Amino acid sequence: MGRLNDKVAIITGGAGGIGMATAKLFLDQGAKVVIADISKEALEQASIEINHENLSYCVVDVSKPKDNEKMVAHTLEVHNRIDIFFVNAGIEGTSMSIAEYPNDIFDQVIDVNLKGVWLGCKYVIPKMKAGGSVMITSSVAGLKGFPGLGAYVATKHAVIGIMRVAALEFAPNKIRVNTIHPGPVNNEMMRRIEKDISPKNPQEALKGFEAAVPFGRYVESREIADMALFLASDDSKMITGCIHVVDGGMLV
Ligand code: NAI
């Protein structure tokens, strides 16, 4: 007996590190899963790797209203319901001080990490007719400043506001809304950030991040998926409007 038997889940950023680990875990627990991502190639790759009859995918740019509508239409057409929404797509932008930060990259980060979360909540949650659970991926950068990551930090703080309002607005519909705040995760996003911060010696950046974590290592994507499963399942049925940190003690 799985913890998500017959539940239908949408996972945005579903072809990335955290998204894919979560898709695998949800499928193992009996859910039907739609992974949504901007990269068709990555979605095709993920589908081959996961190889499960209850998995389908949808090419979506979360910053576009029409794409969010398409994602909802796809899910309802295939499964006729939505119970779980993991609002997880995100980009890191670049590492530069506020004074130097390129305006176009700022706009991109806002579009994906903030507008994407807003539009997802706007278009998906009202279609969760039988109640359900929404998880938004924020970050430790949603609870603390990190120099150089101004745009990213701003968006990851802002989604806490969306989460709190959505938790209150949709509580009467028995829909719970929470944020997840990973520390540095051992996947492609951190590889890009390490290179961006220390192009000549990414290992040095990695060591710096690890040193900032009392457990002395990055979080694994699967460990974020474990938190997503807890929040998606009935094990957390009275938990809404809360922040959930998975960071090996980084923020302590
Ligand atoms: P990732 O880079 O492996 O995955 C992100 C996915 O989002 C990619 O597959 C990408 O194609 C997709 N994506 C980007 N723009 C999109 C758009 N406009 N529409 C749809 N999909 C889009 O990184 P990861 O770690 O799996 O990231 C997932 C979430 O976790 C993000 O919100 C990220 O900010 C957050 N996070 C990641 C941390 C890390 O260290 N990797 C730490 C804290 C938070």
Side-chain angles (χ1 to χ4, degrees):
M1 186 71 179
R3 286 159 74 188
L4 302 179
N5 270 354
D6 295 326
K7 300 283 186 201
V8 174
I10 298 176
I11 303 175
T12 69
I18 293 172
M20 231 169 95
T22 307
K24 285 181 189 164
L25 185 58
F26 283 13
L27 287 160
D28 281 351
Q29 292 296 324
K32 295 169 177 142
V33 175
V34 176
I35 48 174
D37 204 286
I38 197 167
S39 167
K40 183 165 193 281
E41 202 187 332
L43 283 168
E44 283 169 353
Q45 238 354 84
S47 298
I48 291 166
E49 189 182 323
I50 297 173
N51 186 25
H52 198 292
E53 60 179 348
N54 289 331
L55 178 77
S56 68
Y57 73 76
C58 190
V59 182
V60 169
D61 178 347
V62 295
S63 70
K64 304 264 190 303
K66 285 231 168 319
D67 282 22
N68 281 275
E69 287 179 317
K70 182 174 84 173
M71 179 171 79
V72 169
H74 167 93
T75 310
L76 293 179
E77 197 182 307
V78 178
H79 300 296
N80 206 27
R81 57 186 290 152
I82 304 168
D83 306 289
I84 298 161
F85 183 32
F86 190 18
V87 199
N88 171 70
I91 57 173
E92 66 276 15
T94 188
S95 181
M96 245 179 235
S97 80
I98 292 174
E100 313 292 334
Y101 207 93
N103 292 333
D104 58 337
I105 300 183
F106 177 82
D107 287 343
Q108 285 165 16
V109 175
I110 297 287
D111 272 356
V112 180
N113 296 6
L114 178 54
K115 194 174 166 197
V117 170
W118 174 264
L119 291 174
C121 290
K122 173 175 171 158
Y123 288 100
V124 178
I125 302 180
K127 303 294 181 189
M128 298 169 70
K129 299 290 186 199
S133 180
V134 178
M135 296 83 67
I136 298 169
T137 311
S138 175
S139 167
V140 288
L143 297 165
K144 180 188 179 312
F146 289 87
L149 293 178
Y152 187 77
V153 166
T155 57
K156 293 299 184 181
H157 275 71
V159 297
I160 296 173
I162 298 177
M163 175 274 284
R164 288 192 169 127
V165 173
L168 293 171
E169 287 187 359
F170 294 102
N173 307 75
K174 301 286 178 285
I175 295 168
R176 301 182 291 105
V177 189
N178 291 281
T179 46
I180 300 175
H181 300 256
V185 179
N186 187 21
N187 66 28
E188 284 312 307
M189 182 175 282
M190 281 312 297
R191 298 294 91 81
R192 293 192 298 268
I193 292 173
E194 289 153 7
K195 270 195 209 131
D196 198 23
I197 291 176
S198 186
K200 290 204 179 114
N201 189 2
Q203 274 301 106
E204 197 175 85
L206 181 148
K207 289 211 175 77
F209 280 114
E210 281 183 343
V213 180
F215 271 19
R217 68 164 175 86
Y218 281 10
V219 184
E220 296 298 329
S221 295
R222 165 61 198 249
E223 290 165 330
I224 305 303
D226 286 333
M227 175 58 83
L229 173 60
F230 169 69
L231 291 171
S233 74
D234 280 349
D235 292 349
S236 59
K237 60 180 178 289
M238 272 300 277
I239 300 178
T240 193
C242 291
I243 63 175
H244 304 269
V245 180
V246 185
D247 71 345
M250 190 179 189
L251 291 184
V252 174

